[in-house]
Amino acid sequence: MIVPLMEAAAETCGGKAGALGTLLRAGLPVPDGFVVSYAAYRAAVRDLDLGEADDPGAMRPAIEARPVHASLIDALGRALDELGDPPVAVRSSAANEDTGHASAAGQHESFLAVRGVGEVADAVRACWASLYSPRAIDYRRDDRPSDDPAMAVIVQRHLDAEVSGVMFTPADPHGTTEIEASWGLGPSIVGGTVTPDAYRVAEDGSVTRTIADKRTRLDRHGTQLVVRDVPAPARDRPAIGDATATRLAKLGGEIAAVLGGPQDIEWAIVGGHTWILQARPVTAAPPPPSGASAAPAGALTGTPGSRGSATGTARIVRGPGDFARVHPGDILVCPFTDPAWTPLLRIAAGVVTETGGVLSHAAIVARELGIPAVLGVPDATGRLHDDTVITVDGSTGAVTATNA
């Protein structure tokens, strides 16, 4: 039931773990760890009725209430001892996750800075249960495969990243690599709570960059994750240099070659060394950057996040308390989007955020759902108002009010 990450295969450990295992076997820099395989999950839920045709929402509390079996806790303890019992990252690797059909970006739970076998066991169980969270159930519906949901769990050394980011390798081998980077741990970028620096690396190694005002960072403090303010002088300092961006693009090309297609890659830099935390197929490429000159006069502007245009009623959403106010066809206007908001993205006509980058989980899901998104519009929730009709152009990054 415990598989060394080096030996992980998608058939038994999920696409995320399988890709990392492939990269490790190719000699690429992936933190060591192990996988709690599908077999462990299936053994844990064997006598529960997990048929999604019944009441999938009831399955999550049923799994959360079930103690992790002593034999698995023993196996986890031995595997952690072999790693030296460091703080670890505990991450989902579900059957419908990180595939060429659907990314399931941000739909399942992940935990950083976990320490000790008891806490790791609890995190594993929480990953299992997240297979039946409302957002994961909603994401799997319609054309997404859900006939046999299963969850493997990756346990890897936690990295105290100085800089983290996401990289999309090009579909065309002569194309441009897209990179986003910011200070601290990666959830700030993938979760869209910070607007990252953006880099475009051409085939010849030339770099075009847009440096953002990176106001916060996420770091580990013991077994806690803390959000800290970035000192003012560092906010608009490049998170990485052009030479590092070029090296990342080269590494991305190697990863794409090993995995056989364009990849969405999460990376981290620790002590000057680059590590690969995840690689999955690109399911929906971002639109090309568009300058402010492409926006009509008087429009608010941000980063094009998902192609297309939509007109609808602006709905200011600052958190779950506002969810009930959202109606089909509304345009979400929010500080940032959380993965738990996926059901809203399904009914919304478009989305506008104050922070976030084009490689964040929410932007990826918006592109998969085919709704326009404009990201990083400063003070969007203050400058736009409920019940105002607005047009969102996710190709140019323009947001225009069409009435007072």
Side-chain angles (χ1 to χ4, degrees), residues 180 188-196 300-306 314-318 331-339 341 345 348 350-364 366-367 371-384 390 392-394 397-399:
E180 292 184 341
S188 292
I189 297 176
V190 297
T193 58
V194 67
T195 300
L300 304 184
T301 58
T303 303
S306 179
R315 193 65 60 204
I316 309 301
V317 179
R318 293 188 171 88
I331 306 291
L332 300 183
V333 181
C334 45
F336 62 90
T337 59
D338 183 272
W341 297 23
L345 295 179
V351 60
V352 178
T353 71
E354 295 180 330
T355 62
V358 299
L359 308 186
S360 66
H361 287 159
I364 293 169
R367 292 194 292 272
I371 65 171
V374 177
L375 313 171
V377 178
D379 194 30
T381 60
R383 298 163 72 186
L384 297 170
I390 62 175
V392 176
D393 190 329
V399 181

Short mmCIF file of all heavy atoms in Angstrom, two decimals, residues 180 188-196 300-306 314-318 331-339 341 345 348 350-364 366-367 371-384 390 392-394 397-399:
data_model
loop_
_atom_site.label_atom_id
_atom_site.label_comp_id
_atom_site.label_asym_id
_atom_site.label_seq_id
_atom_site.Cartn_x
_atom_site.Cartn_y
_atom_site.Cartn_z
N GLU A 180 5.40 32.09 -14.11
CA GLU A 180 4.99 33.03 -13.06
C GLU A 180 5.77 32.70 -11.79
O GLU A 180 6.01 31.52 -11.49
CB GLU A 180 3.49 32.96 -12.81
CG GLU A 180 2.68 33.48 -14.01
CD GLU A 180 1.20 33.53 -13.77
OE1 GLU A 180 0.71 32.84 -12.85
OE2 GLU A 180 0.52 34.24 -14.54
N SER A 188 0.39 30.58 -2.69
CA SER A 188 0.02 31.97 -2.98
C SER A 188 -0.22 32.18 -4.46
O SER A 188 -1.11 32.95 -4.87
CB SER A 188 1.12 32.93 -2.50
OG SER A 188 1.21 32.95 -1.10
N ILE A 189 0.59 31.53 -5.29
CA ILE A 189 0.46 31.69 -6.74
C ILE A 189 -0.67 30.84 -7.29
O ILE A 189 -1.56 31.35 -7.98
CB ILE A 189 1.79 31.34 -7.44
CG1 ILE A 189 2.89 32.30 -6.99
CG2 ILE A 189 1.63 31.38 -8.95
CD1 ILE A 189 4.24 31.98 -7.55
N VAL A 190 -0.66 29.55 -6.98
CA VAL A 190 -1.69 28.68 -7.55
C VAL A 190 -3.07 29.02 -6.99
O VAL A 190 -4.09 28.81 -7.65
CB VAL A 190 -1.35 27.19 -7.34
CG1 VAL A 190 -0.07 26.83 -8.06
CG2 VAL A 190 -1.28 26.82 -5.87
N GLY A 191 -3.13 29.56 -5.76
CA GLY A 191 -4.40 29.95 -5.18
C GLY A 191 -4.85 31.33 -5.59
O GLY A 191 -5.98 31.73 -5.28
N GLY A 192 -4.00 32.09 -6.27
CA GLY A 192 -4.39 33.38 -6.79
C GLY A 192 -4.44 34.50 -5.76
O GLY A 192 -5.00 35.56 -6.03
N THR A 193 -3.82 34.31 -4.57
CA THR A 193 -3.88 35.35 -3.55
C THR A 193 -2.80 36.41 -3.73
O THR A 193 -2.78 37.40 -3.00
CB THR A 193 -3.77 34.75 -2.14
OG1 THR A 193 -2.54 34.01 -2.04
CG2 THR A 193 -4.94 33.82 -1.86
N VAL A 194 -1.88 36.21 -4.65
CA VAL A 194 -0.87 37.20 -4.98
C VAL A 194 -0.80 37.30 -6.50
O VAL A 194 -1.03 36.32 -7.21
CB VAL A 194 0.51 36.82 -4.38
CG1 VAL A 194 1.06 35.57 -5.04
CG2 VAL A 194 1.50 37.97 -4.51
N THR A 195 -0.53 38.50 -6.99
CA THR A 195 -0.28 38.66 -8.42
C THR A 195 1.22 38.47 -8.64
O THR A 195 2.03 39.24 -8.13
CB THR A 195 -0.70 40.05 -8.91
OG1 THR A 195 -2.12 40.21 -8.67
CG2 THR A 195 -0.43 40.19 -10.40
N PRO A 196 1.61 37.41 -9.37
CA PRO A 196 3.03 37.09 -9.51
C PRO A 196 3.69 37.85 -10.65
O PRO A 196 3.02 38.42 -11.52
CB PRO A 196 3.00 35.59 -9.81
CG PRO A 196 1.73 35.42 -10.59
CD PRO A 196 0.74 36.41 -10.01
N LEU A 300 -11.47 49.32 -17.20
CA LEU A 300 -10.51 48.79 -16.25
C LEU A 300 -9.70 47.72 -16.97
O LEU A 300 -10.23 47.01 -17.84
CB LEU A 300 -11.21 48.20 -15.04
CG LEU A 300 -12.18 49.10 -14.27
CD1 LEU A 300 -12.72 48.37 -13.04
CD2 LEU A 300 -11.53 50.40 -13.89
N THR A 301 -8.44 47.59 -16.61
CA THR A 301 -7.61 46.60 -17.31
C THR A 301 -6.90 45.70 -16.32
O THR A 301 -6.55 46.08 -15.20
CB THR A 301 -6.56 47.30 -18.20
OG1 THR A 301 -5.74 48.15 -17.41
CG2 THR A 301 -7.24 48.10 -19.29
N GLY A 302 -6.71 44.47 -16.75
CA GLY A 302 -5.98 43.47 -15.98
C GLY A 302 -5.30 42.51 -16.93
O GLY A 302 -5.12 42.80 -18.11
N THR A 303 -4.95 41.36 -16.42
CA THR A 303 -4.28 40.34 -17.21
C THR A 303 -5.29 39.43 -17.87
O THR A 303 -6.17 38.88 -17.20
CB THR A 303 -3.35 39.50 -16.31
OG1 THR A 303 -2.42 40.36 -15.66
CG2 THR A 303 -2.61 38.45 -17.12
N PRO A 304 -5.22 39.24 -19.20
CA PRO A 304 -6.12 38.27 -19.85
C PRO A 304 -5.89 36.88 -19.28
O PRO A 304 -4.76 36.37 -19.32
CB PRO A 304 -5.72 38.35 -21.32
CG PRO A 304 -4.99 39.65 -21.48
CD PRO A 304 -4.32 39.89 -20.17
N GLY A 305 -6.95 36.26 -18.73
CA GLY A 305 -6.79 34.96 -18.08
C GLY A 305 -7.46 33.82 -18.79
O GLY A 305 -7.01 32.68 -18.71
N SER A 306 -8.55 34.10 -19.49
CA SER A 306 -9.29 33.07 -20.21
C SER A 306 -10.04 33.74 -21.35
O SER A 306 -10.74 34.73 -21.15
CB SER A 306 -10.26 32.35 -19.28
OG SER A 306 -11.01 31.36 -19.97
N ALA A 314 -22.70 42.54 -12.72
CA ALA A 314 -21.59 42.39 -11.79
C ALA A 314 -22.11 41.93 -10.43
O ALA A 314 -23.13 42.44 -9.94
CB ALA A 314 -20.84 43.71 -11.63
N ARG A 315 -21.42 40.96 -9.84
CA ARG A 315 -21.78 40.48 -8.52
C ARG A 315 -20.51 40.47 -7.67
O ARG A 315 -19.58 39.70 -7.92
CB ARG A 315 -22.39 39.08 -8.59
CG ARG A 315 -23.07 38.65 -7.31
CD ARG A 315 -24.26 39.52 -7.00
NE ARG A 315 -25.26 39.46 -8.07
CZ ARG A 315 -26.15 40.42 -8.29
NH1 ARG A 315 -26.15 41.52 -7.55
NH2 ARG A 315 -27.03 40.31 -9.27
N ILE A 316 -20.45 41.34 -6.66
CA ILE A 316 -19.28 41.41 -5.80
C ILE A 316 -19.32 40.25 -4.83
O ILE A 316 -20.28 40.09 -4.07
CB ILE A 316 -19.24 42.75 -5.02
CG1 ILE A 316 -19.41 43.93 -5.98
CG2 ILE A 316 -17.93 42.86 -4.24
CD1 ILE A 316 -18.36 44.03 -7.06
N VAL A 317 -18.28 39.42 -4.86
CA VAL A 317 -18.21 38.23 -4.02
C VAL A 317 -16.90 38.29 -3.24
O VAL A 317 -15.82 38.19 -3.82
CB VAL A 317 -18.28 36.94 -4.86
CG1 VAL A 317 -18.17 35.71 -3.96
CG2 VAL A 317 -19.57 36.89 -5.66
N ARG A 318 -17.02 38.46 -1.93
CA ARG A 318 -15.83 38.54 -1.10
C ARG A 318 -15.58 37.27 -0.30
O ARG A 318 -14.53 37.12 0.32
CB ARG A 318 -15.92 39.74 -0.16
CG ARG A 318 -15.86 41.09 -0.90
CD ARG A 318 -15.76 42.26 0.07
NE ARG A 318 -15.48 43.50 -0.64
CZ ARG A 318 -16.42 44.29 -1.14
NH1 ARG A 318 -17.70 43.95 -1.02
NH2 ARG A 318 -16.09 45.40 -1.78
N ILE A 331 -21.45 38.14 -13.57
CA ILE A 331 -20.00 38.24 -13.66
C ILE A 331 -19.46 38.33 -12.24
O ILE A 331 -19.79 39.27 -11.49
CB ILE A 331 -19.55 39.49 -14.45
CG1 ILE A 331 -20.20 39.54 -15.84
CG2 ILE A 331 -18.03 39.54 -14.54
CD1 ILE A 331 -19.74 38.49 -16.80
N LEU A 332 -18.65 37.36 -11.82
CA LEU A 332 -18.05 37.39 -10.49
C LEU A 332 -16.98 38.48 -10.45
O LEU A 332 -16.10 38.53 -11.32
CB LEU A 332 -17.40 36.05 -10.15
CG LEU A 332 -18.26 34.80 -10.13
CD1 LEU A 332 -17.42 33.60 -9.70
CD2 LEU A 332 -19.43 34.98 -9.20
N VAL A 333 -17.03 39.31 -9.43
CA VAL A 333 -15.99 40.32 -9.18
C VAL A 333 -15.52 40.09 -7.75
O VAL A 333 -16.30 40.23 -6.80
CB VAL A 333 -16.54 41.75 -9.35
CG1 VAL A 333 -15.43 42.77 -9.11
CG2 VAL A 333 -17.15 41.93 -10.73
N CYS A 334 -14.27 39.70 -7.58
CA CYS A 334 -13.82 39.23 -6.28
C CYS A 334 -12.35 39.56 -6.04
O CYS A 334 -11.60 39.81 -6.99
CB CYS A 334 -14.03 37.71 -6.18
SG CYS A 334 -13.50 36.79 -7.63
N PRO A 335 -11.93 39.58 -4.76
CA PRO A 335 -10.50 39.80 -4.49
C PRO A 335 -9.63 38.74 -5.14
O PRO A 335 -8.61 39.03 -5.75
CB PRO A 335 -10.42 39.75 -2.96
CG PRO A 335 -11.80 40.09 -2.49
CD PRO A 335 -12.72 39.50 -3.53
N PHE A 336 -10.02 37.49 -5.00
CA PHE A 336 -9.38 36.35 -5.65
C PHE A 336 -10.37 35.20 -5.59
O PHE A 336 -11.38 35.29 -4.89
CB PHE A 336 -8.04 35.97 -4.98
CG PHE A 336 -8.18 35.55 -3.55
CD1 PHE A 336 -8.39 34.22 -3.20
CD2 PHE A 336 -8.12 36.48 -2.52
CE1 PHE A 336 -8.54 33.83 -1.88
CE2 PHE A 336 -8.25 36.11 -1.19
CZ PHE A 336 -8.47 34.78 -0.88
N THR A 337 -10.11 34.15 -6.32
CA THR A 337 -11.01 32.99 -6.26
C THR A 337 -10.31 31.83 -5.59
O THR A 337 -9.12 31.60 -5.78
CB THR A 337 -11.47 32.56 -7.66
OG1 THR A 337 -10.32 32.25 -8.45
CG2 THR A 337 -12.27 33.65 -8.32
N ASP A 338 -11.06 31.13 -4.80
CA ASP A 338 -10.59 29.95 -4.09
C ASP A 338 -11.09 28.72 -4.84
O ASP A 338 -12.14 28.77 -5.49
CB ASP A 338 -11.17 29.98 -2.66
CG ASP A 338 -10.68 28.82 -1.82
OD1 ASP A 338 -11.34 27.76 -1.85
OD2 ASP A 338 -9.64 28.97 -1.15
N PRO A 339 -10.35 27.59 -4.76
CA PRO A 339 -10.87 26.39 -5.45
C PRO A 339 -12.28 25.99 -5.02
O PRO A 339 -13.02 25.39 -5.80
CB PRO A 339 -9.84 25.32 -5.06
CG PRO A 339 -8.57 26.07 -4.88
CD PRO A 339 -8.98 27.38 -4.26
N TRP A 341 -14.68 27.74 -4.92
CA TRP A 341 -15.63 28.52 -5.70
C TRP A 341 -15.92 27.89 -7.07
O TRP A 341 -16.66 28.47 -7.87
CB TRP A 341 -15.08 29.93 -5.92
CG TRP A 341 -14.87 30.73 -4.68
CD1 TRP A 341 -14.69 30.26 -3.41
CD2 TRP A 341 -14.81 32.15 -4.58
NE1 TRP A 341 -14.50 31.29 -2.53
CE2 TRP A 341 -14.57 32.47 -3.22
CE3 TRP A 341 -14.91 33.17 -5.50
CZ2 TRP A 341 -14.45 33.78 -2.77
CZ3 TRP A 341 -14.80 34.48 -5.06
CH2 TRP A 341 -14.57 34.78 -3.71
N LEU A 345 -18.04 29.22 -10.66
CA LEU A 345 -17.48 29.41 -12.00
C LEU A 345 -18.31 28.69 -13.05
O LEU A 345 -18.36 29.10 -14.21
CB LEU A 345 -16.03 28.91 -12.04
CG LEU A 345 -15.03 29.68 -11.18
CD1 LEU A 345 -13.64 29.05 -11.31
CD2 LEU A 345 -14.98 31.15 -11.56
N ALA A 348 -21.35 31.17 -13.58
CA ALA A 348 -21.03 32.56 -13.93
C ALA A 348 -20.74 32.69 -15.41
O ALA A 348 -20.30 31.76 -16.07
CB ALA A 348 -19.82 33.04 -13.12
N GLY A 350 -18.59 35.09 -16.40
CA GLY A 350 -17.20 35.52 -16.45
C GLY A 350 -16.72 35.83 -15.05
O GLY A 350 -17.50 35.80 -14.09
N VAL A 351 -15.43 36.15 -14.94
CA VAL A 351 -14.87 36.42 -13.62
C VAL A 351 -13.81 37.51 -13.72
O VAL A 351 -13.06 37.58 -14.70
CB VAL A 351 -14.27 35.14 -12.99
CG1 VAL A 351 -13.17 34.55 -13.85
CG2 VAL A 351 -13.76 35.39 -11.58
N VAL A 352 -13.79 38.39 -12.70
CA VAL A 352 -12.80 39.46 -12.58
C VAL A 352 -12.20 39.35 -11.19
O VAL A 352 -12.94 39.25 -10.20
CB VAL A 352 -13.44 40.85 -12.76
CG1 VAL A 352 -12.40 41.96 -12.59
CG2 VAL A 352 -14.14 40.96 -14.10
N THR A 353 -10.86 39.35 -11.07
CA THR A 353 -10.22 39.28 -9.77
C THR A 353 -9.27 40.46 -9.57
O THR A 353 -8.82 41.08 -10.53
CB THR A 353 -9.40 37.98 -9.59
OG1 THR A 353 -8.24 38.04 -10.42
CG2 THR A 353 -10.21 36.76 -9.95
N GLU A 354 -8.98 40.74 -8.29
CA GLU A 354 -8.03 41.80 -7.97
C GLU A 354 -6.59 41.31 -7.96
O GLU A 354 -5.67 42.11 -8.14
CB GLU A 354 -8.37 42.40 -6.60
CG GLU A 354 -9.70 43.10 -6.58
CD GLU A 354 -10.06 43.70 -5.23
OE1 GLU A 354 -9.60 43.15 -4.20
OE2 GLU A 354 -10.78 44.71 -5.19
N THR A 355 -6.39 40.03 -7.69
CA THR A 355 -5.05 39.45 -7.70
C THR A 355 -5.08 38.14 -8.48
O THR A 355 -6.14 37.63 -8.84
CB THR A 355 -4.53 39.17 -6.27
OG1 THR A 355 -5.40 38.21 -5.63
CG2 THR A 355 -4.47 40.43 -5.43
N GLY A 356 -3.89 37.58 -8.69
CA GLY A 356 -3.80 36.28 -9.34
C GLY A 356 -3.14 36.35 -10.70
O GLY A 356 -3.10 37.42 -11.34
N GLY A 357 -2.63 35.22 -11.14
CA GLY A 357 -1.98 35.11 -12.42
C GLY A 357 -2.69 34.14 -13.34
O GLY A 357 -3.58 33.39 -12.93
N VAL A 358 -2.26 34.11 -14.60
CA VAL A 358 -2.94 33.30 -15.60
C VAL A 358 -2.69 31.80 -15.42
O VAL A 358 -3.37 30.98 -16.01
CB VAL A 358 -2.53 33.70 -17.03
CG1 VAL A 358 -2.91 35.14 -17.30
CG2 VAL A 358 -1.05 33.49 -17.29
N LEU A 359 -1.72 31.45 -14.56
CA LEU A 359 -1.43 30.04 -14.34
C LEU A 359 -1.99 29.54 -13.01
O LEU A 359 -1.70 28.42 -12.59
CB LEU A 359 0.09 29.80 -14.40
CG LEU A 359 0.80 30.35 -15.64
CD1 LEU A 359 2.26 29.92 -15.66
CD2 LEU A 359 0.10 29.91 -16.92
N SER A 360 -2.82 30.35 -12.35
CA SER A 360 -3.44 29.95 -11.09
C SER A 360 -4.52 28.91 -11.34
O SER A 360 -5.03 28.77 -12.46
CB SER A 360 -4.04 31.17 -10.38
OG SER A 360 -5.12 31.69 -11.14
N HIS A 361 -4.90 28.20 -10.26
CA HIS A 361 -5.91 27.16 -10.39
C HIS A 361 -7.23 27.72 -10.94
O HIS A 361 -7.85 27.11 -11.81
CB HIS A 361 -6.17 26.53 -9.02
CG HIS A 361 -5.08 25.63 -8.56
ND1 HIS A 361 -4.90 25.29 -7.23
CD2 HIS A 361 -4.08 25.00 -9.24
CE1 HIS A 361 -3.85 24.48 -7.12
NE2 HIS A 361 -3.35 24.30 -8.31
N ALA A 362 -7.66 28.87 -10.42
CA ALA A 362 -8.95 29.41 -10.86
C ALA A 362 -8.93 29.77 -12.34
O ALA A 362 -9.91 29.56 -13.05
CB ALA A 362 -9.31 30.63 -10.02
N ALA A 363 -7.80 30.33 -12.81
CA ALA A 363 -7.71 30.67 -14.23
C ALA A 363 -7.74 29.42 -15.09
O ALA A 363 -8.37 29.41 -16.16
CB ALA A 363 -6.43 31.47 -14.48
N ILE A 364 -7.07 28.37 -14.64
CA ILE A 364 -7.09 27.11 -15.39
C ILE A 364 -8.50 26.56 -15.49
O ILE A 364 -8.97 26.15 -16.56
CB ILE A 364 -6.15 26.08 -14.73
CG1 ILE A 364 -4.69 26.54 -14.85
CG2 ILE A 364 -6.33 24.70 -15.37
CD1 ILE A 364 -3.72 25.72 -14.01
N ALA A 366 -11.32 28.24 -15.19
CA ALA A 366 -12.12 29.12 -16.05
C ALA A 366 -11.89 28.77 -17.52
O ALA A 366 -12.84 28.72 -18.31
CB ALA A 366 -11.76 30.58 -15.78
N ARG A 367 -10.64 28.52 -17.89
CA ARG A 367 -10.36 28.16 -19.29
C ARG A 367 -10.98 26.81 -19.64
O ARG A 367 -11.50 26.62 -20.74
CB ARG A 367 -8.85 28.15 -19.53
CG ARG A 367 -8.23 29.54 -19.47
CD ARG A 367 -6.84 29.57 -20.04
NE ARG A 367 -5.85 28.85 -19.26
CZ ARG A 367 -5.14 29.35 -18.26
NH1 ARG A 367 -5.35 30.61 -17.88
NH2 ARG A 367 -4.24 28.63 -17.63
N ILE A 371 -15.15 30.12 -19.82
CA ILE A 371 -15.68 31.44 -19.46
C ILE A 371 -14.53 32.45 -19.42
O ILE A 371 -13.42 32.12 -19.01
CB ILE A 371 -16.44 31.43 -18.12
CG1 ILE A 371 -15.51 31.11 -16.95
CG2 ILE A 371 -17.60 30.47 -18.17
CD1 ILE A 371 -16.16 31.31 -15.60
N PRO A 372 -14.78 33.69 -19.85
CA PRO A 372 -13.70 34.68 -19.85
C PRO A 372 -13.31 35.08 -18.44
O PRO A 372 -14.14 35.14 -17.53
CB PRO A 372 -14.32 35.87 -20.61
CG PRO A 372 -15.79 35.70 -20.46
CD PRO A 372 -16.03 34.23 -20.41
N ALA A 373 -12.02 35.38 -18.27
CA ALA A 373 -11.51 35.81 -16.97
C ALA A 373 -10.49 36.91 -17.19
O ALA A 373 -9.64 36.82 -18.09
CB ALA A 373 -10.88 34.64 -16.22
N VAL A 374 -10.57 37.94 -16.34
CA VAL A 374 -9.58 39.00 -16.31
C VAL A 374 -9.05 39.07 -14.88
O VAL A 374 -9.83 39.18 -13.93
CB VAL A 374 -10.17 40.36 -16.74
CG1 VAL A 374 -9.12 41.46 -16.62
CG2 VAL A 374 -10.69 40.29 -18.17
N LEU A 375 -7.74 39.02 -14.73
CA LEU A 375 -7.12 38.87 -13.42
C LEU A 375 -6.29 40.10 -13.08
O LEU A 375 -5.82 40.82 -13.96
CB LEU A 375 -6.22 37.63 -13.42
CG LEU A 375 -6.83 36.36 -14.02
CD1 LEU A 375 -5.78 35.28 -14.16
CD2 LEU A 375 -7.98 35.87 -13.16
N GLY A 376 -6.11 40.32 -11.77
CA GLY A 376 -5.22 41.38 -11.33
C GLY A 376 -5.70 42.78 -11.66
O GLY A 376 -4.89 43.65 -11.99
N VAL A 377 -7.01 43.02 -11.53
CA VAL A 377 -7.57 44.37 -11.74
C VAL A 377 -7.55 45.08 -10.39
O VAL A 377 -8.32 44.72 -9.50
CB VAL A 377 -9.00 44.31 -12.30
CG1 VAL A 377 -9.56 45.71 -12.47
CG2 VAL A 377 -9.03 43.55 -13.62
N PRO A 378 -6.70 46.08 -10.20
CA PRO A 378 -6.60 46.72 -8.88
C PRO A 378 -7.93 47.27 -8.39
O PRO A 378 -8.66 47.94 -9.14
CB PRO A 378 -5.58 47.85 -9.11
CG PRO A 378 -4.79 47.41 -10.30
CD PRO A 378 -5.76 46.67 -11.17
N ASP A 379 -8.26 46.95 -7.11
CA ASP A 379 -9.47 47.47 -6.46
C ASP A 379 -10.74 47.24 -7.27
O ASP A 379 -11.65 48.07 -7.28
CB ASP A 379 -9.30 48.97 -6.15
CG ASP A 379 -10.36 49.49 -5.18
OD1 ASP A 379 -10.83 48.70 -4.34
OD2 ASP A 379 -10.71 50.69 -5.29
N ALA A 380 -10.82 46.08 -7.93
CA ALA A 380 -12.00 45.79 -8.77
C ALA A 380 -13.27 45.79 -7.94
O ALA A 380 -14.33 46.24 -8.40
CB ALA A 380 -11.82 44.45 -9.48
N THR A 381 -13.21 45.27 -6.70
CA THR A 381 -14.42 45.20 -5.88
C THR A 381 -14.88 46.57 -5.40
O THR A 381 -16.03 46.73 -4.97
CB THR A 381 -14.21 44.27 -4.67
OG1 THR A 381 -13.14 44.77 -3.86
CG2 THR A 381 -13.89 42.86 -5.12
N GLY A 382 -13.98 47.57 -5.44
CA GLY A 382 -14.37 48.92 -5.07
C GLY A 382 -14.77 49.77 -6.26
O GLY A 382 -15.62 50.66 -6.14
N ARG A 383 -14.17 49.48 -7.39
CA ARG A 383 -14.43 50.31 -8.58
C ARG A 383 -15.63 49.82 -9.38
O ARG A 383 -16.20 50.58 -10.18
CB ARG A 383 -13.18 50.32 -9.46
CG ARG A 383 -11.98 50.93 -8.75
CD ARG A 383 -10.67 50.58 -9.43
NE ARG A 383 -10.49 51.29 -10.70
CZ ARG A 383 -9.46 51.04 -11.51
NH1 ARG A 383 -8.55 50.11 -11.20
NH2 ARG A 383 -9.35 51.72 -12.64
N LEU A 384 -16.01 48.57 -9.20
CA LEU A 384 -17.21 48.03 -9.83
C LEU A 384 -18.26 47.83 -8.74
O LEU A 384 -17.93 47.65 -7.57
CB LEU A 384 -16.90 46.71 -10.54
CG LEU A 384 -15.90 46.81 -11.69
CD1 LEU A 384 -15.48 45.42 -12.15
CD2 LEU A 384 -16.47 47.61 -12.85
N ILE A 390 -21.68 44.82 -16.87
CA ILE A 390 -20.31 44.99 -17.33
C ILE A 390 -20.00 43.96 -18.42
O ILE A 390 -20.66 42.92 -18.52
CB ILE A 390 -19.28 44.84 -16.18
CG1 ILE A 390 -19.35 43.43 -15.55
CG2 ILE A 390 -19.49 45.90 -15.12
CD1 ILE A 390 -18.28 43.18 -14.50
N VAL A 392 -16.81 41.74 -19.90
CA VAL A 392 -15.49 41.23 -19.59
C VAL A 392 -14.89 40.63 -20.86
O VAL A 392 -15.51 39.75 -21.47
CB VAL A 392 -15.57 40.14 -18.49
CG1 VAL A 392 -14.20 39.54 -18.22
CG2 VAL A 392 -16.15 40.72 -17.21
N ASP A 393 -13.74 41.09 -21.24
CA ASP A 393 -13.04 40.56 -22.41
C ASP A 393 -11.77 39.86 -21.93
O ASP A 393 -10.78 40.50 -21.59
CB ASP A 393 -12.69 41.68 -23.39
CG ASP A 393 -12.19 41.15 -24.73
OD1 ASP A 393 -11.56 40.08 -24.74
OD2 ASP A 393 -12.41 41.82 -25.75
N GLY A 394 -11.84 38.54 -21.88
CA GLY A 394 -10.72 37.76 -21.39
C GLY A 394 -9.58 37.61 -22.36
O GLY A 394 -8.56 37.01 -22.03
N GLY A 397 -8.12 41.65 -21.68
CA GLY A 397 -7.95 42.07 -20.29
C GLY A 397 -8.75 43.31 -19.94
O GLY A 397 -8.46 43.97 -18.93
N ALA A 398 -9.79 43.62 -20.71
CA ALA A 398 -10.60 44.83 -20.47
C ALA A 398 -11.90 44.48 -19.75
O ALA A 398 -12.54 43.47 -20.05
CB ALA A 398 -10.91 45.52 -21.78
N VAL A 399 -12.28 45.35 -18.81
CA VAL A 399 -13.55 45.24 -18.11
C VAL A 399 -14.25 46.59 -18.27
O VAL A 399 -13.74 47.61 -17.81
CB VAL A 399 -13.35 44.92 -16.62
CG1 VAL A 399 -14.72 44.78 -15.93
CG2 VAL A 399 -12.54 43.65 -16.43
#
